[in-house]
Amino acid sequence: MQAFNEDLAAVGTDSPKGRPDHRWDALVEGDRIHSPGITITEAHLVQWAGLTGDWVSLHLDEEYASKTPFGRRIGHGPLTLSVGLGLLTQTGYFSNVAAWLGLDEVRAVQPVFIGDTIHVEATVRLARETKKPDVGLWTLDYTVVKQDGSTVMTFTSSFLVRR
């Protein structure tokens, strides 16, 4: 633990230029955060497949996908999850994250198609102090929503945030 605290101190406390300097006490339980949106394109699917090696026909082969219950290609579930995490990061609340602790309760509710625009609505489930005086804990419930207001994915993610 001492090494973790020393590493944390070495990172510094300067926020990225032009980003809000939100710290742990900026959010309390029940607060809601809304992200900007992004329209998922074919390029997202192809780049994700290339990056991860997830070359599944349901995502990349229009002919194959047309014969599935979805009728067309769908975005990779982990792509939707990663984009959701990234979109919320754009709100500026994560400039002082000291550690990402992980994901829980991931559910893919419905597919994301090429051309869908998604955004995140997150609620702070937990904001509590820790034994470390320099960081607090945030646990957020993420809901990834597409343009028609329907939920496509839900998950929970936790972070240690500088105080």
Side-chain angles (χ1 to χ4, degrees):
M1 281 304 178
Q2 182 178 359
F4 173 79
N5 289 334
E6 290 170 1
D7 289 344
L8 180 58
V11 171
T13 57
D14 294 335
S15 63
K17 189 172 181 91
R19 305 267 321 258
D21 189 26
H22 295 297
R23 295 193 176 269
W24 171 77
D25 63 352
L27 295 174
V28 297
E29 291 176 18
D31 280 351
R32 295 182 53 82
I33 307 169
H34 294 258
S35 78
I38 189 169
T39 302
I40 301 300
T41 67
E42 180 177 24
H44 290 108
L45 275 62
V46 172
Q47 289 175 356
W48 183 261
L51 178 66
T52 64
D54 188 351
W55 292 94
V56 174
S57 296
L58 181 59
H59 309 301
L60 302 172
D61 181 336
E62 189 65 45
E63 182 64 25
Y64 173 87
S66 71
K67 296 178 177 100
T68 70
F70 301 113
R72 56 189 163 150
R73 291 180 289 163
I74 65 171
H76 305 70
L79 167 65
T80 300
L81 185 139
S82 294
V83 169
L85 285 167
L87 286 172
L88 207 61
T89 298
Q90 293 181 35
T91 64
Y93 281 96
F94 299 87
S95 59
N96 282 298
V97 168
W100 177 60
L101 301 179
L103 295 167
D104 294 296
E105 305 170 27
V106 179
R107 297 291 176 267
V109 179
Q110 65 172 302
V112 172
F113 298 106
I114 294 170
D116 280 342
T117 299
I118 61 174
H119 73 276
V120 175
E121 299 172 5
T123 302
V124 180
R125 178 190 291 192
L126 181 65
R128 70 167 173 80
E129 295 180 353
T130 67
K131 293 178 184 177
K132 297 177 179 72
D134 52 345
V135 294
L137 175 76
W138 285 343
T139 298
L140 288 90
D141 293 326
Y142 286 64
T143 302
V144 182
V145 178
K146 66 181 177 179
Q147 68 279 350
D148 64 3
S150 62
T151 297
V152 296
M153 182 171 281
T154 61
F155 57 92
T156 299
S157 191
S158 296
F159 307 87
L160 290 179
V161 183
R162 290 182 190 88
R163 295 171 68 178

